[in-house]
Amino acid sequence: MTSKTLPSARLEPRPAAASMPARRWSLSGLSLCISPALLLIVWELATRLGWVSPQLLPAPSAIALRVLELAGQADFWRNLGITVYRLLSGLLIASALGVALALAAQLSRWSALLLDALIRLLAPIPKIALYPALILILGFESASKISLVVSDAIFPVLMATWVAAQTVDRKLIWSARAAGASRAACLWKVVLPAICPTVLAGVRVAGVIACVVVFLAEMIASTDGLGHMLTTAARSYRITDMFVPLVWICLLGFALNLAIAALQRKVDHTG
């Protein structure tokens, strides 16, 4: 009985396999554009065909033209810059405080219990209800808006960091302690680098919350910013102008999300 020899398999990388991540990225980027494009097309057709009154819901083309017109005005850029400053300041402070508190809770059992109690007590409170008190204490300027953003955006970062820190391999911490590192040094040099991707995921959620909160704060009580622009346009019944700040806050949130996601991918790659 003759035995047949099978040809040895050649384990060589295919040229097409190297381009798969790029193809997946391009397909995912394309899929992100499909649903907004379909929505805009249906919206445009609805206004053009008279299904919806343009006085109540302007066409996307009219809103885009108005966005370009206001982009040529210095006052618009001043309001946009103020909103960006409040948004980024609040998000950065919330991220720093959230990470610091979550890591501090790992130092002792009592600090963890105290922080857990504070989260259970304060997280369910609608932070916009604190805004009148913040205005009385800090005034109508940026300090009250930034404080409101911090009070709401801190919780996603805090909880993401806290949960991730508890899943770090304890052998890494024991090794660092055996090498003479203090408990605080272990947290900053061992635990934090290991949980950076999860922390950034919490920051992405906090960024969305920060966009919503800063816009609401400017709508309620402010003399500048994108939210103030919307309120001013609504009072004078300038419907198209009302959508311009909404477009820009969407663009800000989208750009912020992309930036944090890119940083998260970089951290995953280097880690």
Side-chain angles (χ1 to χ4, degrees), residues 17 48 64-65 84 121 126 161 178 191-192 197 205 212 220 247 255 270:
R48 295 292 181 183
L65 288 175
V84 171
L121 179 66
T161 306
V191 176
L192 185 57
V205 177
V212 176
I220 294 172
V247 170
T270 55

Side-chain angles (χ1 to χ4, degrees), residues 45-60:
L45 289 175
T47 53
R48 295 292 181 183
L49 297 177
W51 298 343
V52 180
S53 173
Q55 281 72 33
L56 297 177
L57 186 64

Side-chain angles (χ1 to χ4, degrees), residues 2-267:
T2 59
S3 61
K4 298 182 179 180
T5 60
L6 296 175
S8 59
R10 298 180 63 187
L11 300 178
E12 296 180 357
R14 301 184 203 176
S19 61
M20 285 301 292
R23 289 181 180 178
R24 289 177 182 174
W25 174 251
S26 61
L27 288 176
S28 63
L30 181 62
S31 63
L32 286 175
C33 301
I34 290 177
S35 52
L38 289 176
L39 175 62
L40 292 176
I41 291 172
V42 173
W43 183 355
E44 184 76 25
L45 289 175
T47 53
R48 295 292 181 183
L49 297 177
W51 298 343
V52 180
S53 173
Q55 281 72 33
L56 297 177
L57 186 64
S61 57
I63 297 173
L65 288 175
R66 189 57 180 158
V67 167
L68 295 176
E69 290 176 3
L70 290 180
Q73 299 180 9
D75 186 63
F76 164 76
W77 291 106
R78 181 183 66 85
N79 286 298
L80 177 62
I82 290 172
T83 298
V84 171
Y85 163 70
R86 292 166 176 168
L87 170 64
L88 294 182
S89 298
L91 181 59
L92 289 174
I93 295 173
S95 301
L97 283 178
V99 171
L101 289 175
L103 292 180
Q106 310 300 317
L107 292 175
S108 68
R109 182 170 175 268
W110 290 108
S111 61
L113 290 175
L114 178 61
L115 187 60
D116 181 57
L118 289 176
I119 292 175
R120 293 175 186 273
L121 179 66
L122 299 179
I125 297 176
K127 307 308 179 296
I128 199 67
L130 304 175
Y131 194 37
L134 291 175
I135 291 176
L136 290 176
I137 298 171
L138 301 174
F140 284 91
E141 300 302 323
S142 295
S144 58
K145 279 79 174 171
I146 294 173
S147 299
L148 186 64
V149 171
V150 172
S151 66
D152 218 348
I154 189 175
F155 288 100
V157 182
L158 175 59
M159 289 186 282
T161 306
W162 193 3
V163 172
Q166 294 175 345
T167 62
V168 175
D169 189 358
R170 295 299 164 185
K171 293 180 181 178
L172 297 175
I173 302 177
W174 295 337
S175 299
R177 291 284 289 166
S182 63
R183 299 184 67 178
C186 289
L187 291 176
W188 289 106
K189 297 181 180 180
V190 177
V191 176
L192 185 57
I195 64 175
C196 264
T198 306
V199 173
L200 290 174
V203 175
R204 290 180 69 179
V205 177
V208 175
I209 295 174
C211 289
V212 176
V213 172
V214 73
F215 200 83
L216 286 176
E218 291 176 348
M219 286 181 63
I220 294 172
S222 183
T223 57
D224 44 28
L226 293 178
H228 173 69
M229 287 180 60
L230 188 146
T231 304
T232 303
R235 288 172 181 170
S236 55
Y237 202 69
R238 291 182 280 115
I239 304 300
T240 306
D241 287 359
M242 288 174 53
F243 283 87
V244 174
L246 293 176
V247 170
W248 279 101
I249 200 67
C250 287
L251 293 176
L252 284 177
F254 185 69
L256 183 62
N257 192 282
L258 285 181
I260 300 174
L263 180 60
Q264 191 175 10
R265 286 193 301 271
K266 183 177 181 180
V267 169

